[in-house]
Amino acid sequence: MKKLFAQFRKNEDGATAIEYALIAGLIGVVIIAGATTLGNNVSAKFTDVAGKVSAAGGAAAK
């Protein structure tokens, strides 16, 4: 029985797979956070440009 537990402790294959899964999950979270931030910044910029174009169009119509 002791030999079985010792062999189980030395086996690191499962731990390696879990570590890779955690790293992949963390990378996914970082990508989602970056895409969300970038999307919000792009949306704000387009809203700003649309407001300026609208204001310029209203001033030119007068």
Tab-separated table of all heavy atoms in Angstrom:
chain	number	residue	atom	x	y	z
A	1	MET	N	0.823	-1.186	0.000
A	1	MET	CA	0.000	0.000	0.000
A	1	MET	C	0.875	1.261	0.000
A	1	MET	O	0.554	2.223	-0.690
A	1	MET	CB	-0.919	-0.033	1.223
A	1	MET	CG	-2.018	0.969	1.165
A	1	MET	SD	-3.144	0.537	-0.154
A	1	MET	CE	-4.596	1.266	0.415
A	2	LYS	N	1.958	1.251	0.775
A	2	LYS	CA	2.858	2.405	0.811
A	2	LYS	C	3.475	2.644	-0.558
A	2	LYS	O	3.657	3.782	-0.977
A	2	LYS	CB	3.958	2.198	1.846
A	2	LYS	CG	3.501	2.324	3.267
A	2	LYS	CD	4.669	2.173	4.215
A	2	LYS	CE	4.214	2.266	5.647
A	2	LYS	NZ	5.340	2.150	6.573
A	3	LYS	N	3.764	1.559	-1.243
A	3	LYS	CA	4.367	1.666	-2.569
A	3	LYS	C	3.388	2.323	-3.546
A	3	LYS	O	3.776	3.151	-4.369
A	3	LYS	CB	4.771	0.281	-3.062
A	3	LYS	CG	5.612	0.281	-4.293
A	3	LYS	CD	6.076	-1.131	-4.622
A	3	LYS	CE	7.042	-1.105	-5.762
A	3	LYS	NZ	7.537	-2.425	-6.108
A	4	LEU	N	2.117	2.010	-3.418
A	4	LEU	CA	1.090	2.595	-4.274
A	4	LEU	C	0.975	4.108	-4.038
A	4	LEU	O	0.918	4.891	-4.991
A	4	LEU	CB	-0.260	1.913	-4.026
A	4	LEU	CG	-1.430	2.418	-4.853
A	4	LEU	CD1	-1.191	2.125	-6.321
A	4	LEU	CD2	-2.714	1.784	-4.386
A	5	PHE	N	0.968	4.527	-2.775
A	5	PHE	CA	0.896	5.954	-2.464
A	5	PHE	C	2.149	6.701	-2.917
A	5	PHE	O	2.066	7.822	-3.411
A	5	PHE	CB	0.664	6.176	-0.967
A	5	PHE	CG	-0.753	5.940	-0.544
A	5	PHE	CD1	-1.041	5.014	0.435
A	5	PHE	CD2	-1.785	6.638	-1.131
A	5	PHE	CE1	-2.352	4.790	0.830
A	5	PHE	CE2	-3.100	6.423	-0.744
A	5	PHE	CZ	-3.389	5.483	0.243
A	6	ALA	N	3.294	6.090	-2.764
A	6	ALA	CA	4.547	6.707	-3.202
A	6	ALA	C	4.544	6.882	-4.718
A	6	ALA	O	4.968	7.917	-5.235
A	6	ALA	CB	5.736	5.873	-2.756
A	7	GLN	N	4.051	5.891	-5.409
A	7	GLN	CA	3.989	5.961	-6.872
A	7	GLN	C	2.975	7.032	-7.295
A	7	GLN	O	3.199	7.763	-8.248
A	7	GLN	CB	3.598	4.601	-7.432
A	7	GLN	CG	3.697	4.492	-8.923
A	7	GLN	CD	3.339	3.076	-9.409
A	7	GLN	OE1	2.675	2.320	-8.716
A	7	GLN	NE2	3.803	2.752	-10.589
A	8	PHE	N	1.875	7.130	-6.563
A	8	PHE	CA	0.855	8.127	-6.864
A	8	PHE	C	1.398	9.542	-6.675
A	8	PHE	O	1.112	10.441	-7.453
A	8	PHE	CB	-0.364	7.906	-5.962
A	8	PHE	CG	-1.486	8.865	-6.210
A	8	PHE	CD1	-2.240	8.795	-7.357
A	8	PHE	CD2	-1.773	9.860	-5.291
A	8	PHE	CE1	-3.274	9.687	-7.590
A	8	PHE	CE2	-2.795	10.756	-5.502
A	8	PHE	CZ	-3.551	10.658	-6.659
A	9	ARG	N	2.191	9.754	-5.634
A	9	ARG	CA	2.770	11.072	-5.379
A	9	ARG	C	3.785	11.464	-6.447
A	9	ARG	O	3.924	12.630	-6.773
A	9	ARG	CB	3.453	11.105	-4.007
A	9	ARG	CG	2.517	11.562	-2.918
A	9	ARG	CD	3.259	11.854	-1.657
A	9	ARG	NE	3.616	10.574	-1.042
A	9	ARG	CZ	4.567	10.395	-0.164
A	9	ARG	NH1	5.295	11.409	0.210
A	9	ARG	NH2	4.813	9.219	0.343
A	10	LYS	N	4.493	10.506	-6.988
A	10	LYS	CA	5.502	10.800	-8.003
A	10	LYS	C	4.886	11.085	-9.369
A	10	LYS	O	5.501	11.731	-10.204
A	10	LYS	CB	6.487	9.633	-8.126
A	10	LYS	CG	7.421	9.519	-6.954
A	10	LYS	CD	8.393	8.381	-7.158
A	10	LYS	CE	9.307	8.236	-5.956
A	10	LYS	NZ	10.268	7.142	-6.131
A	11	ASN	N	3.678	10.607	-9.595
A	11	ASN	CA	3.017	10.810	-10.885
A	11	ASN	C	2.549	12.252	-10.986
A	11	ASN	O	1.666	12.679	-10.264
A	11	ASN	CB	1.836	9.847	-11.022
A	11	ASN	CG	1.189	9.924	-12.389
A	11	ASN	OD1	1.613	10.694	-13.234
A	11	ASN	ND2	0.179	9.114	-12.598
A	12	GLU	N	3.143	13.032	-11.897
A	12	GLU	CA	2.812	14.438	-12.054
A	12	GLU	C	2.073	14.732	-13.347
A	12	GLU	O	1.885	15.886	-13.714
A	12	GLU	CB	4.092	15.271	-11.988
A	12	GLU	CG	4.777	15.203	-10.639
A	12	GLU	CD	6.017	16.067	-10.597
A	12	GLU	OE1	6.356	16.687	-11.616
A	12	GLU	OE2	6.652	16.118	-9.542
A	13	ASP	N	1.622	13.732	-14.070
A	13	ASP	CA	0.937	13.958	-15.340
A	13	ASP	C	-0.362	14.734	-15.157
A	13	ASP	O	-0.654	15.653	-15.900
A	13	ASP	CB	0.632	12.617	-16.028
A	13	ASP	CG	1.897	11.948	-16.546
A	13	ASP	OD1	2.903	12.656	-16.725
A	13	ASP	OD2	1.866	10.723	-16.765
A	14	GLY	N	-1.148	14.371	-14.163
A	14	GLY	CA	-2.404	15.070	-13.904
A	14	GLY	C	-2.171	16.507	-13.506
A	14	GLY	O	-2.896	17.406	-13.922
A	15	ALA	N	-1.171	16.751	-12.698
A	15	ALA	CA	-0.863	18.114	-12.263
A	15	ALA	C	-0.449	18.976	-13.453
A	15	ALA	O	-0.826	20.139	-13.540
A	15	ALA	CB	0.237	18.097	-11.211
A	16	THR	N	0.289	18.410	-14.358
A	16	THR	CA	0.710	19.167	-15.531
A	16	THR	C	-0.489	19.560	-16.377
A	16	THR	O	-0.589	20.695	-16.847
A	16	THR	CB	1.709	18.335	-16.366
A	16	THR	OG1	2.806	17.985	-15.542
A	16	THR	CG2	2.214	19.123	-17.544
A	17	ALA	N	-1.415	18.647	-16.568
A	17	ALA	CA	-2.614	18.947	-17.351
A	17	ALA	C	-3.441	20.039	-16.685
A	17	ALA	O	-3.956	20.942	-17.355
A	17	ALA	CB	-3.448	17.684	-17.532
A	18	ILE	N	-3.542	19.985	-15.369
A	18	ILE	CA	-4.295	21.012	-14.645
A	18	ILE	C	-3.604	22.362	-14.770
A	18	ILE	O	-4.252	23.396	-14.962
A	18	ILE	CB	-4.473	20.608	-13.168
A	18	ILE	CG1	-5.413	19.412	-13.074
A	18	ILE	CG2	-4.988	21.769	-12.339
A	18	ILE	CD1	-5.506	18.812	-11.697
A	19	GLU	N	-2.290	22.372	-14.683
A	19	GLU	CA	-1.549	23.631	-14.823
A	19	GLU	C	-1.758	24.238	-16.201
A	19	GLU	O	-1.982	25.441	-16.333
A	19	GLU	CB	-0.064	23.388	-14.575
A	19	GLU	CG	0.256	23.088	-13.123
A	19	GLU	CD	1.659	22.544	-12.929
A	19	GLU	OE1	2.371	22.335	-13.939
A	19	GLU	OE2	2.043	22.333	-11.775
A	20	TYR	N	-1.719	23.410	-17.234
A	20	TYR	CA	-1.957	23.915	-18.587
A	20	TYR	C	-3.379	24.448	-18.726
A	20	TYR	O	-3.615	25.469	-19.374
A	20	TYR	CB	-1.700	22.837	-19.633
A	20	TYR	CG	-0.231	22.576	-19.887
A	20	TYR	CD1	0.257	21.280	-19.971
A	20	TYR	CD2	0.662	23.625	-20.055
A	20	TYR	CE1	1.600	21.031	-20.206
A	20	TYR	CE2	2.006	23.392	-20.287
A	20	TYR	CZ	2.460	22.096	-20.371
A	20	TYR	OH	3.788	21.855	-20.606
A	21	ALA	N	-4.339	23.773	-18.126
A	21	ALA	CA	-5.724	24.239	-18.188
A	21	ALA	C	-5.879	25.577	-17.472
A	21	ALA	O	-6.585	26.466	-17.958
A	21	ALA	CB	-6.655	23.196	-17.574
A	22	LEU	N	-5.220	25.739	-16.330
A	22	LEU	CA	-5.284	27.014	-15.606
A	22	LEU	C	-4.634	28.141	-16.406
A	22	LEU	O	-5.149	29.255	-16.454
A	22	LEU	CB	-4.620	26.885	-14.241
A	22	LEU	CG	-5.370	26.048	-13.212
A	22	LEU	CD1	-4.510	25.851	-11.970
A	22	LEU	CD2	-6.682	26.698	-12.850
A	23	ILE	N	-3.513	27.856	-17.030
A	23	ILE	CA	-2.843	28.863	-17.854
A	23	ILE	C	-3.722	29.251	-19.030
A	23	ILE	O	-3.880	30.442	-19.342
A	23	ILE	CB	-1.471	28.348	-18.333
A	23	ILE	CG1	-0.503	28.253	-17.146
A	23	ILE	CG2	-0.896	29.242	-19.421
A	23	ILE	CD1	0.783	27.520	-17.456
A	24	ALA	N	-4.325	28.258	-19.696
A	24	ALA	CA	-5.213	28.540	-20.832
A	24	ALA	C	-6.415	29.365	-20.383
A	24	ALA	O	-6.833	30.301	-21.075
A	24	ALA	CB	-5.661	27.245	-21.480
A	25	GLY	N	-6.961	29.040	-19.221
A	25	GLY	CA	-8.091	29.805	-18.697
A	25	GLY	C	-7.709	31.240	-18.386
A	25	GLY	O	-8.462	32.176	-18.685
A	26	LEU	N	-6.538	31.428	-17.802
A	26	LEU	CA	-6.063	32.769	-17.488
A	26	LEU	C	-5.831	33.581	-18.763
A	26	LEU	O	-6.201	34.759	-18.831
A	26	LEU	CB	-4.768	32.705	-16.668
A	26	LEU	CG	-4.179	34.030	-16.229
A	26	LEU	CD1	-5.143	34.780	-15.334
A	26	LEU	CD2	-2.870	33.808	-15.495
A	27	ILE	N	-5.256	32.967	-19.764
A	27	ILE	CA	-5.053	33.651	-21.041
A	27	ILE	C	-6.397	34.053	-21.641
A	27	ILE	O	-6.558	35.156	-22.170
A	27	ILE	CB	-4.242	32.768	-22.005
A	27	ILE	CG1	-2.793	32.666	-21.516
A	27	ILE	CG2	-4.291	33.313	-23.429
A	27	ILE	CD1	-1.955	31.653	-22.269
A	28	GLY	N	-7.380	33.164	-21.534
A	28	GLY	CA	-8.716	33.480	-22.035
A	28	GLY	C	-9.326	34.678	-21.327
A	28	GLY	O	-9.924	35.552	-21.958
A	29	VAL	N	-9.174	34.732	-20.013
A	29	VAL	CA	-9.704	35.855	-19.234
A	29	VAL	C	-9.024	37.159	-19.648
A	29	VAL	O	-9.680	38.195	-19.807
A	29	VAL	CB	-9.539	35.597	-17.717
A	29	VAL	CG1	-9.801	36.852	-16.901
A	29	VAL	CG2	-10.453	34.467	-17.276
A	30	VAL	N	-7.718	37.117	-19.842
A	30	VAL	CA	-6.978	38.321	-20.249
A	30	VAL	C	-7.426	38.780	-21.634
A	30	VAL	O	-7.616	39.980	-21.866
A	30	VAL	CB	-5.456	38.053	-20.223
A	30	VAL	CG1	-4.686	39.174	-20.888
A	30	VAL	CG2	-4.980	37.864	-18.783
A	31	ILE	N	-7.629	37.841	-22.553
A	31	ILE	CA	-8.081	38.200	-23.901
A	31	ILE	C	-9.472	38.823	-23.848
A	31	ILE	O	-9.733	39.843	-24.512
A	31	ILE	CB	-8.046	36.971	-24.824
A	31	ILE	CG1	-6.600	36.600	-25.141
A	31	ILE	CG2	-8.828	37.223	-26.109
A	31	ILE	CD1	-6.438	35.291	-25.886
A	32	ILE	N	-10.363	38.243	-23.066
A	32	ILE	CA	-11.725	38.790	-22.957
A	32	ILE	C	-11.700	40.187	-22.343
A	32	ILE	O	-12.384	41.097	-22.823
A	32	ILE	CB	-12.620	37.836	-22.141
A	32	ILE	CG1	-12.890	36.566	-22.944
A	32	ILE	CG2	-13.926	38.513	-21.737
A	32	ILE	CD1	-13.546	35.453	-22.156
A	33	ALA	N	-10.901	40.371	-21.299
A	33	ALA	CA	-10.805	41.689	-20.666
A	33	ALA	C	-10.229	42.720	-21.630
A	33	ALA	O	-10.726	43.850	-21.712
A	33	ALA	CB	-9.952	41.604	-19.408
A	34	GLY	N	-9.208	42.336	-22.370
A	34	GLY	CA	-8.608	43.256	-23.338
A	34	GLY	C	-9.570	43.600	-24.458
A	34	GLY	O	-9.671	44.770	-24.871
A	35	ALA	N	-10.293	42.612	-24.957
A	35	ALA	CA	-11.246	42.867	-26.042
A	35	ALA	C	-12.386	43.755	-25.561
A	35	ALA	O	-12.856	44.638	-26.293
A	35	ALA	CB	-11.787	41.546	-26.574
A	36	THR	N	-12.831	43.555	-24.336
A	36	THR	CA	-13.905	44.386	-23.785
A	36	THR	C	-13.446	45.833	-23.648
A	36	THR	O	-14.164	46.765	-24.032
A	36	THR	CB	-14.347	43.841	-22.416
A	36	THR	OG1	-14.792	42.497	-22.583
A	36	THR	CG2	-15.453	44.675	-21.815
A	37	THR	N	-12.257	46.020	-23.116
A	37	THR	CA	-11.719	47.369	-22.965
A	37	THR	C	-11.529	48.042	-24.316
A	37	THR	O	-11.908	49.209	-24.505
A	37	THR	CB	-10.376	47.327	-22.204
A	37	THR	OG1	-10.584	46.713	-20.939
A	37	THR	CG2	-9.810	48.718	-22.010
A	38	LEU	N	-10.964	47.315	-25.255
A	38	LEU	CA	-10.761	47.862	-26.595
A	38	LEU	C	-12.094	48.200	-27.242
A	38	LEU	O	-12.244	49.260	-27.859
A	38	LEU	CB	-9.984	46.859	-27.460
A	38	LEU	CG	-9.697	47.289	-28.891
A	38	LEU	CD1	-8.787	48.504	-28.902
A	38	LEU	CD2	-9.078	46.149	-29.667
A	39	GLY	N	-13.080	47.325	-27.086
A	39	GLY	CA	-14.407	47.575	-27.655
A	39	GLY	C	-15.045	48.815	-27.070
A	39	GLY	O	-15.650	49.616	-27.797
A	40	ASN	N	-14.921	48.985	-25.773
A	40	ASN	CA	-15.486	50.181	-25.138
A	40	ASN	C	-14.789	51.445	-25.622
A	40	ASN	O	-15.440	52.465	-25.862
A	40	ASN	CB	-15.381	50.075	-23.617
A	40	ASN	CG	-16.325	49.035	-23.046
A	40	ASN	OD1	-17.307	48.665	-23.665
A	40	ASN	ND2	-16.008	48.559	-21.859
A	41	ASN	N	-13.474	51.394	-25.766
A	41	ASN	CA	-12.730	52.567	-26.246
A	41	ASN	C	-13.095	52.909	-27.687
A	41	ASN	O	-13.265	54.076	-28.035
A	41	ASN	CB	-11.223	52.331	-26.126
A	41	ASN	CG	-10.751	52.334	-24.691
A	41	ASN	OD1	-11.437	52.827	-23.805
A	41	ASN	ND2	-9.577	51.779	-24.456
A	42	VAL	N	-13.232	51.894	-28.522
A	42	VAL	CA	-13.600	52.128	-29.926
A	42	VAL	C	-15.018	52.681	-30.012
A	42	VAL	O	-15.291	53.605	-30.779
A	42	VAL	CB	-13.451	50.822	-30.746
A	42	VAL	CG1	-14.071	50.958	-32.117
A	42	VAL	CG2	-11.986	50.443	-30.870
A	43	SER	N	-15.908	52.143	-29.210
A	43	SER	CA	-17.289	52.633	-29.196
A	43	SER	C	-17.344	54.097	-28.766
A	43	SER	O	-18.067	54.898	-29.374
A	43	SER	CB	-18.131	51.774	-28.253
A	43	SER	OG	-19.446	52.276	-28.175
A	44	ALA	N	-16.582	54.452	-27.751
A	44	ALA	CA	-16.550	55.845	-27.290
A	44	ALA	C	-15.999	56.761	-28.377
A	44	ALA	O	-16.501	57.874	-28.580
A	44	ALA	CB	-15.722	55.958	-26.018
A	45	LYS	N	-14.981	56.298	-29.068
A	45	LYS	CA	-14.388	57.118	-30.137
A	45	LYS	C	-15.384	57.332	-31.287
A	45	LYS	O	-15.519	58.442	-31.803
A	45	LYS	CB	-13.114	56.453	-30.649
A	45	LYS	CG	-12.346	57.275	-31.653
A	45	LYS	CD	-11.945	58.646	-31.127
A	45	LYS	CE	-10.734	58.561	-30.246
A	45	LYS	NZ	-10.237	59.877	-29.831
A	46	PHE	N	-16.098	56.264	-31.688
A	46	PHE	CA	-17.093	56.400	-32.744
A	46	PHE	C	-18.233	57.326	-32.321
A	46	PHE	O	-18.737	58.118	-33.127
A	46	PHE	CB	-17.656	55.031	-33.146
A	46	PHE	CG	-16.832	54.315	-34.168
A	46	PHE	CD1	-16.305	53.068	-33.892
A	46	PHE	CD2	-16.578	54.877	-35.408
A	46	PHE	CE1	-15.534	52.395	-34.823
A	46	PHE	CE2	-15.816	54.211	-36.354
A	46	PHE	CZ	-15.294	52.971	-36.067
A	47	THR	N	-18.643	57.258	-31.071
A	47	THR	CA	-19.690	58.146	-30.564
A	47	THR	C	-19.223	59.592	-30.618
A	47	THR	O	-19.982	60.488	-31.014
A	47	THR	CB	-20.068	57.755	-29.128
A	47	THR	OG1	-20.515	56.391	-29.117
A	47	THR	CG2	-21.152	58.650	-28.566
A	48	ASP	N	-17.964	59.824	-30.253
A	48	ASP	CA	-17.392	61.170	-30.305
A	48	ASP	C	-17.353	61.692	-31.734
A	48	ASP	O	-17.759	62.822	-32.015
A	48	ASP	CB	-15.984	61.148	-29.701
A	48	ASP	CG	-15.346	62.520	-29.657
A	48	ASP	OD1	-16.031	63.487	-29.257
A	48	ASP	OD2	-14.157	62.628	-30.029
A	49	VAL	N	-16.900	60.862	-32.657
A	49	VAL	CA	-16.816	61.266	-34.071
A	49	VAL	C	-18.214	61.525	-34.631
A	49	VAL	O	-18.438	62.499	-35.352
A	49	VAL	CB	-16.059	60.205	-34.899
A	49	VAL	CG1	-16.200	60.467	-36.386
A	49	VAL	CG2	-14.596	60.158	-34.492
A	50	ALA	N	-19.178	60.669	-34.296
A	50	ALA	CA	-20.550	60.848	-34.783
A	50	ALA	C	-21.134	62.161	-34.272
A	50	ALA	O	-21.836	62.867	-35.006
A	50	ALA	CB	-21.415	59.670	-34.341
A	51	GLY	N	-20.857	62.502	-33.016
A	51	GLY	CA	-21.337	63.769	-32.466
A	51	GLY	C	-20.734	64.963	-33.193
A	51	GLY	O	-21.432	65.938	-33.486
A	52	LYS	N	-19.444	64.871	-33.499
A	52	LYS	CA	-18.788	65.976	-34.208
A	52	LYS	C	-19.298	66.104	-35.632
A	52	LYS	O	-19.495	67.214	-36.133
A	52	LYS	CB	-17.272	65.773	-34.189
A	52	LYS	CG	-16.672	65.991	-32.819
A	52	LYS	CD	-15.176	65.783	-32.805
A	52	LYS	CE	-14.625	65.998	-31.399
A	52	LYS	NZ	-13.184	65.788	-31.325
A	53	VAL	N	-19.525	64.995	-36.299
A	53	VAL	CA	-20.049	65.027	-37.673
A	53	VAL	C	-21.464	65.600	-37.665
A	53	VAL	O	-21.825	66.419	-38.510
A	53	VAL	CB	-20.019	63.610	-38.306
A	53	VAL	CG1	-20.814	63.564	-39.593
A	53	VAL	CG2	-18.581	63.173	-38.542
A	54	SER	N	-22.267	65.190	-36.691
A	54	SER	CA	-23.633	65.700	-36.584
A	54	SER	C	-23.641	67.204	-36.320
A	54	SER	O	-24.431	67.944	-36.907
A	54	SER	CB	-24.359	64.957	-35.469
A	54	SER	OG	-25.663	65.438	-35.320
A	55	ALA	N	-22.757	67.647	-35.432
A	55	ALA	CA	-22.671	69.074	-35.121
A	55	ALA	C	-22.207	69.863	-36.343
A	55	ALA	O	-22.713	70.952	-36.626
A	55	ALA	CB	-21.735	69.304	-33.950
A	56	ALA	N	-21.257	69.307	-37.074
A	56	ALA	CA	-20.751	69.986	-38.262
A	56	ALA	C	-21.830	70.037	-39.344
A	56	ALA	O	-21.965	71.032	-40.059
A	56	ALA	CB	-19.510	69.289	-38.799
A	57	GLY	N	-22.616	68.990	-39.463
A	57	GLY	CA	-23.703	68.958	-40.440
A	57	GLY	C	-24.794	69.961	-40.090
A	57	GLY	O	-25.358	70.612	-40.968
A	58	GLY	N	-25.086	70.116	-38.805
A	58	GLY	CA	-26.095	71.080	-38.367
A	58	GLY	C	-25.621	72.498	-38.577
A	58	GLY	O	-26.403	73.379	-38.949
A	59	ALA	N	-24.347	72.755	-38.376
A	59	ALA	CA	-23.805	74.105	-38.558
A	59	ALA	C	-23.743	74.466	-40.031
A	59	ALA	O	-23.969	75.616	-40.413
A	59	ALA	CB	-22.411	74.189	-37.949
A	60	ALA	N	-23.477	73.473	-40.894
A	60	ALA	CA	-23.395	73.742	-42.330
A	60	ALA	C	-24.771	73.966	-42.919
A	60	ALA	O	-24.908	74.663	-43.938
A	60	ALA	CB	-22.706	72.570	-43.031
A	61	ALA	N	-25.820	73.425	-42.328
A	61	ALA	CA	-27.170	73.556	-42.863
A	61	ALA	C	-27.762	74.942	-42.589
A	61	ALA	O	-28.700	75.343	-43.232
A	61	ALA	CB	-28.080	72.474	-42.259
A	62	LYS	N	-27.199	75.666	-41.649
A	62	LYS	CA	-27.746	76.984	-41.289
A	62	LYS	C	-27.379	77.991	-42.281
A	62	LYS	O	-26.989	78.472	-43.054
A	62	LYS	CB	-27.245	77.413	-39.927
A	62	LYS	CG	-27.878	76.603	-38.827
A	62	LYS	CD	-27.405	77.104	-37.482
A	62	LYS	CE	-28.084	76.297	-36.407
A	62	LYS	NZ	-27.710	76.711	-35.091
